[in-house]
Amino acid sequence: MLKTIRLAALMSVITLTPFGLASAFAEPLKVVASFSVIEDFAKNVGGDRIELTTIVGPDGDAHVYEPKPADAVAMSKADVVLVNGLHFEGFLQRLIEASATRATVVELTKGVEPIKMKEEFEEAEEGEAAGHAHHHGDTDPHAFQSIANAKIYVKNIADAFCTADAAGCDTYKANADAYTQKLTETEGEVKAAIASIPESKRTIITSHDAFGYFEHEYGLTFLAPEGISTEAEPSAADVAALIRQVREDKASAVFVENITNTRLIEQIASETGLKVGGTLYSDALSSKDGPASTYIDMMRNNITTIKGAILGS
């Protein structure tokens, strides 16, 4: 009778989860994401098998972020660190050194075909715009603004998690496949929305040059007073040249971004007669109660906002 009770107790433990004893007592994979977009990708791939910490949270600007002691602690305890790469996170190397982390640092832009940052406005005075490149060189790091590239990020995350946690690999791959299908559906929505905008109205203005991959992939033209990093302030000549270009190209709308100061955009709107069409989410998601709390919501919000401002719907 005693043996029967013990056997029944053991069986109840084994059936606690579909993965048996190993999963019931397995430690979650400790993952650090550099900023909120990557955090969302990691959640969709890792699910409840990971313990996730994010360095730069919603509405945060990774270009100018200054790490905190808690960030170094999280990095030191991590198994996997997920970063954008292409010098997007200006703080990254300092944080890696300060934390002395032994985690695998995974650059999610591996496999992405990088594009070069746009040439600065030709009419700006020579030398004044040089600071726009900042630490990025001539490469645009905002690759996640293309959904096709987002799929590469997701695959790289699944591969990294499989390497760090082989027992969960099937789960990570299944999650990645399901999420990639959602990304494909979202991309179809974005392309359909842009197709509904007349080609003559596909030039718009944003705060900084974060949408190069979106432009390259989907056919909108983005003009911006700031370069690819928000750390570099545009000169008066830059802004004047942009205003002239807006008038020549007949831009259809102007937008603020969730991570940047609205002052410049309001100035440009005032001097060109354009109305501010709303807020676009560029380098960070919104808070949970905002309109862009996930990557998919961000892409849908951006194209809906753009289309609505241009077509008045």
Side-chain angles (χ1 to χ4, degrees):
M1 180 66 178
L2 185 58
K3 288 182 179 180
T4 302
I5 293 173
R6 286 175 176 170
L7 180 60
L10 178 60
M11 290 302 292
S12 69
V13 172
I14 292 175
T15 56
L16 279 173
T17 75
F19 301 101
L21 269 173
S23 291
F25 296 103
E27 286 287 328
L29 192 66
K30 290 182 173 60
V31 179
V32 170
S34 61
F35 70 110
S36 56
V37 170
I38 291 178
E39 173 189 18
D40 189 51
F41 292 155
K43 284 179 179 176
N44 278 281
V45 176
D48 59 7
R49 290 192 68 93
I50 66 171
E51 180 183 308
L52 184 60
T53 302
T54 305
I55 302 298
V56 186
D59 294 316
D61 186 352
H63 291 302
V64 297
Y65 182 79
E66 286 297 326
K68 301 174 175 61
D71 299 329
V73 172
M75 288 275 280
S76 70
K77 296 179 179 179
D79 300 308
V80 178
V81 176
L82 303 174
V83 304
N84 186 81
L86 298 179
H87 305 290
F88 179 81
E89 302 95 344
F91 61 85
L92 183 62
Q93 192 56 44
R94 286 180 290 135
L95 185 54
I96 289 174
E97 292 172 0
S99 67
T101 185
R102 295 184 179 181
T104 301
V105 179
V106 183
E107 291 194 1
L108 299 182
T109 47
K110 180 182 178 182
V112 165
E113 184 175 346
I115 64 174
K116 292 185 180 298
M117 65 176 288
K118 294 179 185 178
E119 294 293 328
E120 301 298 344
F121 304 114
E122 293 180 1
E123 298 178 57
E125 294 180 12
E126 184 177 356
E128 286 190 349
H132 285 207
H134 199 58
H135 300 300
H136 302 285
D138 63 353
T139 300
D140 186 340
H142 303 87
F144 51 87
Q145 283 293 343
S146 155
I147 297 176
N149 287 341
K151 296 176 188 179
I152 296 175
Y153 282 50
V154 169
K155 182 184 183 303
N156 287 339
I157 290 171
D159 289 346
F161 288 176
C162 282
T163 298
D165 175 24
C169 189
D170 288 345
T171 298
Y172 299 136
K173 286 183 176 179
N175 290 346
D177 288 345
Y179 182 58
T180 297
Q181 180 59 40
K182 293 179 181 178
L183 291 174
T184 299
E185 293 168 1
T186 304
E187 187 166 40
E189 296 173 21
V190 171
K191 289 179 177 178
I194 292 174
S196 70
I197 301 172
E199 289 189 17
S200 61
K201 295 188 175 183
R202 293 183 187 175
T203 297
I204 62 176
I205 304 168
T206 56
S207 302
H208 88 295
D209 196 6
F211 295 94
Y213 289 87
F214 194 106
E215 175 177 320
H216 182 266
E217 195 75 34
Y218 306 119
L220 286 175
T221 297
F222 290 82
L223 306 177
E226 293 182 301
I228 57 176
S229 172
T230 55
E231 195 167 357
E233 284 287 331
S235 69
D238 292 336
V239 176
L242 174 60
I243 289 170
R244 286 193 294 271
Q245 187 173 353
V246 167
R247 289 169 176 159
E248 291 170 5
D249 292 350
K250 295 180 170 38
S252 296
V254 57
F255 301 90
V256 297
E257 294 174 36
N258 64 317
I259 65 163
T260 57
N261 191 303
T262 63
R263 178 181 54 81
L264 270 175
I265 289 299
E266 289 167 351
Q267 175 190 346
I268 291 166
S270 174
E271 295 194 30
T272 60
L274 293 172
K275 291 184 178 179
V276 177
T279 300
L280 301 183
Y281 291 80
S282 52
D283 293 9
L285 303 181
S286 70
S287 59
K288 289 183 180 180
D289 58 353
S293 60
T294 70
Y295 176 78
I296 287 176
D297 285 345
M298 178 183 81
M299 300 304 284
R300 285 175 172 160
N301 173 83
N302 285 352
I303 193 57
T304 299
T305 301
I306 291 168
K307 179 181 174 182
I310 294 174
L311 300 183
S313 58

